[in-house]
């Protein structure tokens, strides 16, 4: 038997189900990226990079943070981020995925219980599988279910630390977590609260700090803020108590054994955070886009979407989502179909992401093209 038959068979099955993924170069007006504030091509950040390189900054770290790869730019970013976000300390990773995987593989201990929102990011699932704690999901945004799980676990003899994990803004539905209620539950049960602010940092909160507000200042809170979405670069920052930062440095294998992010990456992340804080017009501009899109997409199936930059147009069937996306792409709009297993079965959708890479006229044009494409899909 051909040694590659099992892989070929799985790919064929994905193709038949309309779920085979392919890489493509982005083309058309940007309604798919997470570059919410259009900083990935920012002239300001480009100048920052050129100046830093001209002044001799290394574009590579040369090793792990513990073996020659630590750099003043890493330390400067982490000190600044801790102060800016109101935490005791922070730690920088090469990506938000790496940060999440490291966190859940390292911090929850044997005898602990980890409760996670069922729609939480794949990186959390990968981290949990590498970790030591018992874990179980709870229905999306259901705080009553969280409390019931805690009561049941304690009643059954559970004595360890409870961890509660959620995203502040969910990337496929555009809805928000009930953060205040989750924080109350965490406080009541002496639990740790982990909040992934990946899609909120830069876009919401004073100075672009995100949706968690003062929750992030609490001793029992750990927050992840990625630098590769609204901040326009790459990497992920965890903010947390100092003791947990020290534990990461000594026990987190993805941190210990990975080459450190480049000093240039850390430098640009710090500059991006400062730039967003100093330019509230960026948030205001995106808020205007969101308000317009909410009017343009009214009447469409948006699931539990709230007032965010992510609009899920739920179409149900994988085939329909792929066909509508292809039609829009053919008209110059970079809109992507999202299918299971990324989203639950029967909820295939278009994920329309608003960024400052487009204008309000572009949003109106997309709306007209979308409504026409949906009429044609219904007629097919």
């Amino acid at each position: 038997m051909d040694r590659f038959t099992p892989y070929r068979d799985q790919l064929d099955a994905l193709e038949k189900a309309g779920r085979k993924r392919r890489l493509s170069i982005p083309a058309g007006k940007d309604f798919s990226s997470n570059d919410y504030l259009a900083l990935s091509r920012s002239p300001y950040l480009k100048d920052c990079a050129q100046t830093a390189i001209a002044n001799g900054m290394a574009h590579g770290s040369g090793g792990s943070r513990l073996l020659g790869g630590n750099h003043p730019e890493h330390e400067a970013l982490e000190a600044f981020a801790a102060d800016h976000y109101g935490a005791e300390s922070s730690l920088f990773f090469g990506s938000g995925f790496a940060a999440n995987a490291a966190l859940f593989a390292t911090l929850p201990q044997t005898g602990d219980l980890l409760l996670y929102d069922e729609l939480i990011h794949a990186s959390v699932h990968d981290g949990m599988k590498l970790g030591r704690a018992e874990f179980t999901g709870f229905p999306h945004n259901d705080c009553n279910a969280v409390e019931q799980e805690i009561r049941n676990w304690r009643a059954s003899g559970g004595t360890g630390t409870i961890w509660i994990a959620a995203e502040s803004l969910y990337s496929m539905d555009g809805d928000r977590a009930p953060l205040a209620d989750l924080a109350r539950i965490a406080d009541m049960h002496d639990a740790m609260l982990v909040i992934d602010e990946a899609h909120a940092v830069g876009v919401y909160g004073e100075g672009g700090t995100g949706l968690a507000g003062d929750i992030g200042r609490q001793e029992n809170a750990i927050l992840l803020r990625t630098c590769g979405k609204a901040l326009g670069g790459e990497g992920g920052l965890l903010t947390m108590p100092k003791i947990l930062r020290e534990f990461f440095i000594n026990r987190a294998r993805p941190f210990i054994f990975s080459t450190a992010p480049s000093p240039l990456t850390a430098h640009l992340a710090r500059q991006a955070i400062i730039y967003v804080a100093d330019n509230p017009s960026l948030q205001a501009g995106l808020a205007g886009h969101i308000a317009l899109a909410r009017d343009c997409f009214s009447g469409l199936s948006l699931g539990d979407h709230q007032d965010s930059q992510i609009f899920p147009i739920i179409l149900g069937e994988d085939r329909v989502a792929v066909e509508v996306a292809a039609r829009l792409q053919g008209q110059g709009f970079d809109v992507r179909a999202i299918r299971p297993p990324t989203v639950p079965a029967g909820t295939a959708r278009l994920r329309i992401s608003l960024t400052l890479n487009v204008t309000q006229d572009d949003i109106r044009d997309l709306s007209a093209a979308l409504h026409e494409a949906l009429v044609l899909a219904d007629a097919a």
Side-chain angles (χ1 to χ4, degrees), residues 4-337:
F4 299 120
T5 296
Y7 308 104
R8 191 174 290 110
D9 289 347
Q10 291 184 56
L11 289 171
D12 288 345
L14 289 172
E15 184 74 62
K16 290 176 182 177
R19 296 180 183 176
K20 186 176 179 182
R21 297 180 173 95
R22 294 175 174 82
L23 294 174
S24 62
I25 303 297
K29 295 174 180 178
D30 178 16
F31 286 98
S32 70
S33 83
N34 298 322
D35 185 22
Y36 301 126
L37 302 180
L39 293 185
S40 69
R41 299 176 180 84
S42 161
Y44 172 76
L45 294 178
K46 180 180 178 180
D47 288 344
C48 288
Q50 290 175 334
T51 300
I53 292 173
N55 289 337
M57 185 177 294
H59 59 269
S61 64
S64 71
R65 294 280 294 276
L66 291 170
L67 288 177
N70 200 28
H71 190 278
E73 285 296 336
H74 298 131
E75 302 278 355
L77 168 61
E78 290 166 349
F80 176 80
D83 180 68
H84 184 68
Y85 296 123
E88 279 192 354
S89 69
S90 75
L91 195 62
F92 186 49
F93 288 80
S95 70
F97 193 109
N100 256 343
L103 192 164
F104 290 97
T106 304
L107 292 187
Q109 301 292 294
T110 302
D112 291 353
L113 173 66
L114 170 57
L115 301 174
Y116 64 92
D117 190 289
E118 64 182 3
L119 295 187
I120 207 158
H121 195 264
S123 55
V124 175
H125 289 269
D126 284 5
M128 291 187 298
K129 292 173 185 176
L130 294 171
R132 299 172 177 83
E134 175 186 352
F135 55 87
T136 187
F138 59 86
H140 181 51
N141 281 348
D142 189 339
C143 292
N144 290 330
V146 176
E147 292 199 276
Q148 188 61 54
E149 289 285 354
I150 293 173
R151 286 193 292 268
N152 292 345
W153 189 69
R154 291 298 189 200
S156 68
T159 59
T161 298
I162 294 166
W163 298 74
I164 302 170
E167 299 181 27
S168 62
L169 176 62
Y170 286 86
S171 64
M172 291 298 148
D173 292 85
D175 63 332
R176 304 181 185 190
L179 294 181
D181 289 337
L182 291 174
R184 175 187 55 78
I185 294 170
D187 291 343
M188 182 185 306
H189 296 280
D190 198 23
M192 294 295 298
L193 179 61
V194 182
I195 303 173
D196 186 338
E197 290 261 53
H199 293 273
V201 66
V203 178
Y204 299 101
E206 184 178 357
T209 52
L211 288 169
D214 288 339
I215 295 171
R217 301 177 183 273
Q218 296 178 185
E219 186 182 50
N220 66 335
I222 303 173
L223 271 64
L224 169 66
R225 296 177 178 88
T226 57
C227 306
K229 296 179 174 61
L231 297 180
E234 59 186 21
L237 282 161
L238 290 175
T239 55
M240 65 193 116
K242 289 181 180 178
I243 185 66
L244 296 184
R245 183 180 189 274
E246 291 302 309
F247 194 80
F248 265 110
I249 292 170
N250 285 274
R251 286 288 185 261
R253 293 170 67 85
F255 179 83
I256 296 168
F257 296 107
S258 290
T259 297
S262 78
L264 183 61
T265 295
H267 175 71
L268 292 177
R270 180 161 57 95
Q271 296 304 317
I273 295 170
I274 295 170
Y275 186 73
V276 170
D278 289 345
N279 290 274
S281 61
L282 296 171
Q283 284 183 307
L286 188 59
H289 280 15
I290 293 168
L292 173 61
R294 190 168 55 244
D295 290 340
C296 288
F297 300 146
S298 63
L300 300 179
S301 179
L302 301 177
D304 293 325
H305 172 265
Q306 295 171 12
D307 192 20
S308 81
Q309 74 276 22
I310 300 164
F311 285 79
I313 311 297
I314 299 174
L315 302 178
E317 295 183 30
D318 296 0
R319 175 191 58 81
V320 174
V322 171
E323 289 177 359
V324 173
R327 186 177 297 276
L328 294 173
Q329 291 163 14
Q331 296 180 60
F333 303 103
D334 186 7
V335 172
R336 309 293 176 94

Side-chain angles (χ1 to χ4, degrees), residues 296-297 328 331 333 362-374:
C296 288
F297 300 146
L328 294 173
Q331 296 180 60
F333 303 103
D362 293 332
I363 295 171
R364 294 186 185 94
D365 291 343
L366 170 64
S367 175
L370 173 60
H371 282 85
E372 179 182 357
L374 292 176

